Amino acid sequence: MAGRTARASSTERRLWREIDAALADWADEGLVEPTEWLAAGYEPYLTTPLPHQRGVWFDRQAVERVLRFFLLLRHLVGRHNGHAFRLLDWQVRYLIAPVFGIKRDDGLRAVRTFWFEIPRKNGKSTLCSGLVLYLAFADREASALVVAAAASRDQADLVFNPARDMALGSPALTKRLGRRNIQRKVIEHPRTHSVLRSVSSAGDLQHGLNVHGGIVDEVHVHKNPDVIDAIETGTGARTQPLVGFITTADEGRSGSVYDSKRGDIELLSGGHDVDHTMWGCVFSVDDTAEGFDPFAEETLRAANPGYGVTVMADYLAGKAAEARRRPAALNRYLRLHLNVRTKQTARWFALDDWDASAREPGTELPRTVSLDELDGRSCFAGLDLAATTDLTSLSLLFPPRVDVDEPWVWVPFFWLPEDRVSDLVEQTKAPFDRWATAPGHLGPALRTVEGSVMDYRPIRSLVTEQLAKRFRIVRMGYDRWNAIETAGELDAAGIAMEHVPQGYAGMTAPCRLLERLVLNHGINHGGHPVLRWNADCVEVKTDGEDHLKPVKPDRRAARQRIDGVASGLDALAVYLRYEEPDEQPATPSIRVIGG
């Protein structure tokens, strides 16, 4: 997969092979419309892993049932008006087949929730309309309640009204439902009593919470989670409910409904968590890639799988030209037509680059971090302390020895108050509970301390009683916040402590060094799971003069945590300041800013 997608397991690879083989047959049979986008080898920016638990299998007939149902419908507008609703190959590969075709060993659908994010004009509302009709009247669920949901009545009607008109325009559905049961606000099957209706507030659902299916349109405009919560909590009595979110990106607001859901997808796609009931797919482009041109035709083609079919090339070219002429229109263009979350900050590392640093160059063999092999070596340390809601992190960074061809080595340690673990699992969706039992360095990957407030004594004890006796800690850099007492005690114990400013002056040089090491796969972090999650979370901000600093998330609202990366940067900062030429390890030629 493209973008920030985790590596596929052998089960996933098997499922993809079966999906692709079926897709080729369906195209030959006329059940699916082939497109240039898929034929050219384009891929979504991000996908989550397919369900790959024991016993999953691909039910080709279940997908064919959906495809044949859509052929009973007719397009309503534009140049496709009156034509049969033949699904496009990318819609089938990245939505219909994973959602409806992957089955558990008991024969029920594995996926219960899906996220399908795509630029505007790629046919998502029409697709929503067909899906709600299928779930309500063809999914073999007795007395199904299916809802077309949105943040406003008008938006919900953009899904429901075309569904109603498609039902009226389909002889097969009109015969099955009866024309008088296809009403302005509700569609009902007279024999099964299955119902399709639109909702735009939690109140719309107060008398019907036994939900079989729901499609939520344009999640980015939902101001609160009430409607979504009502739908999701109303599915508990159904054997294979399905709730789908089909949306375009938002403006990058932290703590929003969209941000929460998209954050779940990013965690899963990065391999930080596992949920075999979720499928997610994001069509977009990497706006941080070197040489990124938002106005190029190739960029528009890559982001828009419906290019030339559901969205016309000249329309997109016109939007690109407008954004080029009017900088004020650029962010709107990026969001609506490239599906890029627009904000001032940018994600720093690609997971592919980060993960490659944990493998031997040119191979799939993992690089391991052995503390025994590091005994007696010089290192630089960084300390990032927290009180309650952040991780506390200590990093040791070992530069390459002089005249030895070897990578840097990063050894991180993490702590969290024990009483905060479950709260942070809920807030961030990251598996802190699992990390607390996973192997790390000299203990678990995440160490817990008693209570709800961080106790720094275990950190000081680890440094003075173990680490300082095994390694030569040349300097330890620290963020001054909340660290005066701990820094003083470590200094008294013989550890050379140095405050590291956290602004552009103090952070630019270590950021540039770490960026270079990661991109060149010159640092071995051993794939530590907590540090890997931090690296996937971290964003950076520039001041317009090529200065750089990491953005520390709002602990009260944000799901991200970057503490391991922060402590690593503090270690690199004091490394770059080190001024003992006879002992100083080799360093790249980097200008020190703010030393």
Side-chain angles (χ1 to χ4, degrees):
M1 298 297 100
R4 299 173 49 247
T5 300
R7 292 176 157 207
S9 67
S10 59
T11 299
E12 291 174 81
R13 291 193 293 271
R14 170 179 59 80
L15 291 170
W16 280 122
R17 288 194 298 270
E18 293 178 16
I19 288 172
D20 286 336
L23 191 60
D25 291 341
W26 293 328
D28 290 342
E29 296 170 23
L31 291 176
V32 169
E33 187 73 28
T35 64
E36 293 182 4
W37 190 86
L38 203 59
Y42 292 114
E43 294 181 324
Y45 170 65
L46 178 157
T47 59
T48 61
L50 291 175
H52 52 277
Q53 70 270 41
R54 183 183 298 274
V56 294
W57 55 288
F58 178 59
D59 187 345
R60 180 170 176 153
Q61 285 69 39
V63 179
E64 285 190 14
R65 179 177 173 83
V66 180
L67 304 182
R68 294 185 186 281
F69 175 84
F70 269 78
L71 288 174
L72 299 177
L73 309 176
R74 294 290 182 268
H75 286 285
L76 302 173
V77 296
R79 63 196 184 101
H80 301 291
N81 181 39
H83 292 189
F85 197 157
R86 181 173 289 103
L87 287 167
L88 305 174
D89 53 7
W90 57 267
Q91 294 173 325
V92 176
R93 190 180 200 270
Y94 292 111
L95 178 59
I96 304 301
V99 170
F100 291 93
I102 307 299
K103 297 291 186 69
R104 307 183 315 203
D105 55 6
D106 61 3
L108 296 176
R109 282 195 295 261
V111 173
R112 302 301 171 88
T113 306
F114 72 81
W115 178 272
F116 199 70
E117 186 176 324
I118 194 165
R120 185 168 288 185
K121 302 298 182 182
N122 279 271
K124 65 177 181 58
S125 292
T126 306
L127 183 60
C128 286
S129 301
L131 285 172
V132 291
L133 285 171
Y134 179 85
L135 288 171
F137 308 118
D139 203 30
R140 295 171 173 166
E141 179 74 13
S143 299
L145 170 62
V146 177
V147 295
S152 68
R153 173 61 61 188
D154 289 344
Q155 186 67 45
D157 286 346
L158 289 179
V159 174
F160 179 83
N161 289 348
R164 180 197 62 211
D165 293 343
M166 284 180 182
L168 288 170
S170 168
L173 276 183
T174 302
K175 180 179 179 179
R176 178 183 300 181
L177 301 174
R179 185 171 291 272
R180 67 178 181 178
N181 292 308
I182 305 174
Q183 301 175 26
R184 191 167 62 91
K185 295 297 183 183
V186 66
I187 305 173
E188 184 173 2
H189 194 298
R191 292 200 307 275
T192 67
H193 304 293
S194 294
V195 173
L196 169 61
R197 57 184 299 194
S198 66
V199 299
S200 59
S201 71
D204 290 344
L205 285 166
Q206 61 185 350
H207 298 301
L209 291 178
N210 191 7
V211 177
H212 169 62
I215 303 295
V216 182
D217 194 23
E218 299 294 16
V219 182
H220 69 277
V221 299
H222 284 250
K223 291 183 172 58
N224 63 64
D226 293 350
V227 173
I228 293 171
D229 287 348
I231 294 171
E232 291 181 323
T233 57
T235 61
R238 300 289 181 171
T239 57
Q240 54 173 9
L242 182 64
V243 178
F245 302 89
I246 302 186
T247 188
T248 302
D250 76 342
E251 298 88 350
R253 295 192 305 273
S254 294
S256 66
V257 178
Y258 169 94
D259 184 57
S260 175
K261 294 292 184 184
R262 171 68 184 260
D264 290 341
I265 300 304
E266 293 181 355
L267 276 173
L268 294 170
S269 71
H272 308 298
D273 202 0
V274 176
D275 184 351
H276 294 299
T277 69
M278 168 72 84
W279 165 253
C281 179
V282 176
F283 294 90
S284 183
V285 287
D286 183 2
D287 62 316
T288 66
E290 184 177 355
F292 171 69
D293 182 356
F295 311 115
E297 179 182 321
E298 176 66 15
T299 304
L300 289 166
R301 285 182 178 273
N304 291 272
Y307 188 92
V309 181
T310 63
V311 55
M312 296 299 98
D314 57 353
Y315 168 82
L316 290 174
K319 293 297 182 182
E322 179 187 11
R324 191 194 294 270
R325 291 193 309 270
R326 297 176 53 241
L330 178 60
N331 275 359
R332 180 176 172 83
Y333 164 78
L334 290 171
R335 182 174 71 83
L336 296 182
H337 302 297
L338 298 182
N339 199 48
V340 171
R341 296 189 73 186
T342 51
K343 49 187 175 179
Q344 291 182 321
T345 59
R347 188 175 297 277
W348 198 6
F349 298 122
L351 271 184
D352 284 348
D353 289 321
W354 184 265
D355 290 342
S357 290
R359 299 192 295 272
E360 294 294 339
T363 75
E364 296 299 309
L365 299 175
R367 278 174 168 170
T368 58
V369 172
S370 168
L371 296 191
D372 291 340
E373 294 178 2
L374 295 169
D375 272 342
R377 292 269 300 271
S378 294
C379 65
F380 295 80
L383 184 61
D384 190 78
L385 299 179
T388 56
T389 57
D390 271 355
L391 292 164
T392 285
S393 176
L394 169 71
S395 285
L396 302 183
L397 276 96
F398 294 80
R401 289 166 292 185
V402 177
D403 298 328
V404 178
D405 182 16
E406 61 184 0
W408 285 63
V409 179
W410 190 341
V411 179
F413 302 88
F414 295 91
W415 291 263
L416 188 67
E418 190 175 57
D419 293 350
R420 293 288 300 152
V421 171
S422 59
D423 291 341
L424 278 178
V425 170
E426 176 65 25
Q427 180 184 345
T428 68
K429 309 302 182 185
F432 288 96
D433 49 352
R434 194 167 73 230
W435 289 333
T437 60
H441 300 297
L442 303 177
L446 174 64
R447 301 159 183 254
T448 58
V449 298
E450 291 185 3
S452 59
V453 177
M454 187 62 205
D455 180 357
Y456 302 130
R457 286 176 296 180
I459 302 167
R460 296 193 290 264
S461 175
L462 178 69
V463 172
T464 58
E465 296 179 16
Q466 296 191 61
L467 301 180
K469 293 179 179 179
R470 296 186 65 172
F471 317 113
R472 179 178 177 243
I473 302 177
V474 182
R475 295 282 191 278
M476 181 178 291
Y478 66 95
D479 178 356
R480 186 172 287 161
W481 186 90
N482 214 35
I484 301 302
E485 179 183 0
T486 297
E489 293 195 15
L490 288 173
D491 187 70
I495 307 297
M497 304 295 294
E498 292 188 21
H499 161 58
V500 177
Q502 300 297 300
Y504 290 117
M507 286 287 104
T508 295
C511 279
R512 293 299 183 199
L513 175 54
L514 180 57
E515 187 173 72
R516 186 178 305 178
L517 291 173
V518 171
L519 292 178
N520 292 328
H521 308 158
I523 189 163
N524 177 18
H525 45 70
H528 192 285
V530 187
L531 183 62
R532 182 178 185 268
W533 176 61
N534 286 175
D536 196 28
C537 289
V538 69
E539 297 179 337
V540 288
K541 187 175 183 179
T542 60
D543 65 353
E545 297 182 8
D546 205 31
H547 296 159
L548 194 67
K549 68 176 181 179
V551 179
K552 294 202 172 183
D554 180 351
R555 296 187 299 273
R556 296 165 298 179
R559 301 161 54 115
Q560 295 82 10
R561 296 293 186 273
I562 67 167
D563 309 276
V565 175
S567 65
L569 289 171
D570 289 340
L572 288 177
V574 294
Y575 163 78
L576 289 168
R577 291 178 184 176
Y578 189 47
E579 294 178 350
E580 295 181 30
D582 57 331
E583 303 226 13
Q584 183 176 355
T587 177
S589 178
I590 295 181
R591 180 168 64 94
V592 179
I593 299 176

